[in-house]
Structures are given as C-alpha cells and as structure tokens.
Amino acid sequence: MSTSPTSTAAASPGPPWLQSALTIAIVAAVAGILGAWITANATKSGADASLAGSRYGAESAQKTTQLQLAADQAKETRNQRAQVYAKYLTIVSKYYTGARLMREYAGTKRGVPGCENGETPICKQSLETMVQTEIAFLDSRVAYQAQIDQLTVYGSEEAMKAHQVLAAMLPPTLGPAPSQIELGTLSLPGATDPKKFAAAYGAFQKVFCREAAAQPRSSC
C-alpha cells in the first residue's frame, strides 16, 4: 500500500529553519523562566539574610545598652555609697569623741572637773569648756542620726550590720538627749574600751573599701 504525498507532507515537522526557530524559542523561554526563578530566590535569600542581620544587630545593640545601663547604675551606686559611708565615719568618730568627753565629766563631782571646791577660776573655765563640749556632743548626736537615715536608704546589708555594732557602743540618738549623769550610768562599750570601738570602726572601713571601689584591694 502506497502513501499519498498529502499524508507525507502533514506528518513532516516542517523545514529545517522552522525547526531551529522553534528550538531557539523554547530554549529562550525555558532560560527566561529559569532566570526569573533564580533571581526571585536570590532576592528572597538576600532579604532573609538582611532581615536576620538586622535582627542580630538589634539584639546586640539591646544587650550593649543593657550592659551599659548596668555599668552606669553600679558606678552611681558606688559613688553614692562612697559619699554616705565617708560622711558616716567622720560623724561617728565625732559622736564617739563627744560621748567620751561627756562621760569623763560625769565621772567627776558635780560633773565638772575643778569644781570640787566651789566656784574657782579653774571651775569657771571648766564650766565654759563643759558647755562647749556638751554643745558639740548634741550637734554630733543630731548629725549622727541624720547620717544613719542616709545609711538606711543607700547602705548595703553589710554596711547596716557594721553600723549596728558601732551604734551599740554609743549613746542612743533618738529620744531626749542623755544628761551627763545618765551618760555615766549607761553601758557604752565603745566609751569604756577604745579598742572595741576601733575594731568596729575598722570593720565598717572594710565594707566601705569593698563597696565603694571599682577594684577593691584583696585586703578589703
């Protein structure tokens, strides 16, 4: 059975030039689609990388800010305590000295040395000295209580413990001021034993050293 020329022409893919054109068009179309896909994925990857980088940068900046705030707060606390502790030591020393002098007066007849035999010149001079001593004592008493208030706000637990040891050796700062006679009858270990007061004072100094210095000595 023979094939007709018409059937043969319909089955033919066409002239070579047409086949080449179709092939080129198909390749170009596939390449375009593939290129677009690659570009889209590259853009998405770049965006994801940029987003991740931005997130990491934000987290790092936040951590840096938090660390800086903590460092600033620690520095402010050290500076505040340095002022409070230094003033506390100065005032407690004055109060201790005033209490000792007042106690010494309380141990003499009539509370004034040199007045055993009446109103002599020495007695009058002693009276003036005693008045000045008492004024200084009362002033230091008020100042000491004011500094205790500051210590209560800004001091650490260790500082408060060291203060309580010192305060137990001194006359009370609240209520009516004790008279000379009352000072003579009060149990004040610091006034009767300077070594005990010095040891308690030194303990507070060590707390001061540890908490006020950015790099405290090992001996603190």
Side-chain angles (χ1 to χ4, degrees), residues 39 55 71 91 96 178 217:
T39 300
R55 186 182 297 114
I91 293 175
Y96 165 73
R217 302 187 309 275

Side-chain angles (χ1 to χ4, degrees), residues 196-209:
K196 286 185 178 180
F197 180 83
Y201 188 93
F204 194 100
Q205 282 181 315
K206 287 189 174 183
V207 175
F208 185 1
C209 179

